[in-house]
Amino acid sequence: MKEGAQLTQAETGNRYEVFHTDCPARNVVDHVTSRWGIWVLISLRSNDLRFHELRDSIQGISEKMLVQTLRALVQDGLIWREVEPTTPPQVTYGLSEFGQDVSEPLTDLFNRITQRLAPRSPG
């Protein structure tokens, strides 16, 4: 394969042409790597959370942006949404199996960054 050449489906088997604008994986990557998508996925790694718990765990996110981010991640199959028929409705979010797989390297990346930025003790 030529250097810098775009991968074609024939060359890669079942893989997508990730640099092509019509690639379905691009939307998922855009949602995962959006400003808030990463934080939602990392927040849900350890526990399922209700909407207000999720909002409170991610400082700086507006309700509008959280709703938009959650909607996109649910549509992508990365997270699930469960509504309890109470008044007012209680909505809980959690990671799907796909979301667990995708969020694992994000959590590793976050841990590496925070470890690197941690103040070092004089030795």
Side-chain angles (χ1 to χ4, degrees):
M1 187 164 95
K2 298 175 194 158
E3 186 175 330
Q6 184 172 317
L7 301 175
T8 65
Q9 197 155 359
E11 292 172 316
T12 61
N14 292 331
R15 291 177 53 186
Y16 293 106
E17 294 184 33
V18 295
F19 296 106
H20 193 279
T21 56
D22 293 336
C23 176
R26 262 180 103 151
N27 285 333
V28 176
V29 171
D30 287 346
H31 296 152
V32 168
T33 60
S34 70
R35 179 173 181 187
W36 301 111
I38 291 173
W39 301 116
V40 168
L41 293 172
I42 290 173
S43 294
L44 292 172
R45 284 278 301 160
S46 55
N47 293 313
D48 301 339
L49 297 172
R50 291 201 173 128
F51 180 86
H52 72 278
E53 294 170 323
L54 194 50
R55 182 197 62 216
D56 293 346
S57 74
I58 305 172
Q59 293 185 0
I61 192 169
S62 68
E63 284 197 18
K64 177 183 176 183
M65 285 309 304
L66 181 56
V67 167
Q68 289 177 359
T69 302
L70 289 168
R71 190 175 291 140
L73 295 174
V74 167
Q75 185 176 2
D76 293 338
L78 293 162
I79 62 175
W80 52 261
R81 178 181 188 265
E82 180 179 65
V83 180
E84 295 178 39
T86 58
T87 305
Q90 294 181 349
V91 183
T92 304
Y93 294 89
L95 291 178
S96 66
E97 186 178 331
F98 180 37
Q100 287 283 348
D101 289 346
V102 169
S103 66
E104 188 174 333
L106 296 175
T107 303
D108 290 343
L109 175 65
F110 177 75
N111 290 339
R112 287 179 189 201
I113 291 169
T114 56
Q115 184 178 32
R116 179 74 141 174
L117 295 176
R120 302 199 188 273
S121 60

